[in-house]
Amino acid sequence: MPFFPFGSLQVVVHFTACWCMPSVAMNPFFEEVASSYKHILFLSVDVDEVKEVATRMEVKAMPTFLLMMGGARVDKLVGANPDEIRRRIGGFVHTVHGYKAI
């Protein structure tokens, strides 16, 4: 299992809502991508359940995907575009160098 120095934890957040059909349609895709990257934390956040988080992260449309490292936003994607999301997550994965397996 990889070891990440403090502050370099990579997180991908899918902001979703049960009433948003494009967002719901992205759920299986998001799960598939998450299973491909075991060393990244993937989170789904229902904007109706945690409005304060969505507001703080300036989420105004669903689906919104945030790529974060060490608590800071690195990238933001709005909309249901699986190819673009996969491309950006792939690039995001390569931004952390030097982690070591233990």
Side-chain angles (χ1 to χ4, degrees), residues 1-4 8-14 30-44 65-70 74 85-97 99:
M1 172 174 263
F3 166 77
F4 292 98
S8 64
L9 177 64
Q10 291 176 295
V11 180
V12 178
V13 186
H14 173 203
F30 191 69
E31 291 173 13
E32 173 198 326
V33 173
S35 70
S36 300
Y37 297 104
K38 301 288 186 193
H39 60 284
I40 296 177
L41 180 61
F42 284 78
L43 303 171
S44 288
F65 298 87
L66 294 184
L67 285 64
M68 303 180 73
M69 186 180 308
V74 175
I85 294 165
R86 191 182 308 273
R87 185 184 73 74
R88 295 220 200 154
I89 291 173
F92 178 58
V93 166
H94 299 302
T95 60
V96 172
H97 300 289
Y99 72 85

Side-chain angles (χ1 to χ4, degrees), residues 5-88:
F6 180 76
S8 64
L9 177 64
Q10 291 176 295
V11 180
V12 178
V13 186
H14 173 203
F15 285 91
T16 184
C18 63
W19 46 263
C20 174
M21 288 306 106
S23 199
V24 171
M26 291 301 293
N27 288 337
F29 167 79
F30 191 69
E31 291 173 13
E32 173 198 326
V33 173
S35 70
S36 300
Y37 297 104
K38 301 288 186 193
H39 60 284
I40 296 177
L41 180 61
F42 284 78
L43 303 171
S44 288
V45 175
D46 186 310
V47 296
D48 293 323
E49 291 181 16
V50 283
K51 292 177 183 174
E52 61 279 356
V53 173
T55 299
R56 189 157 152 230
M57 300 310 289
E58 300 177 355
V59 173
K60 296 179 177 27
M62 275 64 66
T64 291
F65 298 87
L66 294 184
L67 285 64
M68 303 180 73
M69 186 180 308
R73 184 172 76 191
V74 175
D75 200 358
K76 180 178 183 178
L77 299 94
V78 179
N81 185 337
D83 292 336
E84 182 65 13
I85 294 165
R86 191 182 308 273
R87 185 184 73 74
R88 295 220 200 154

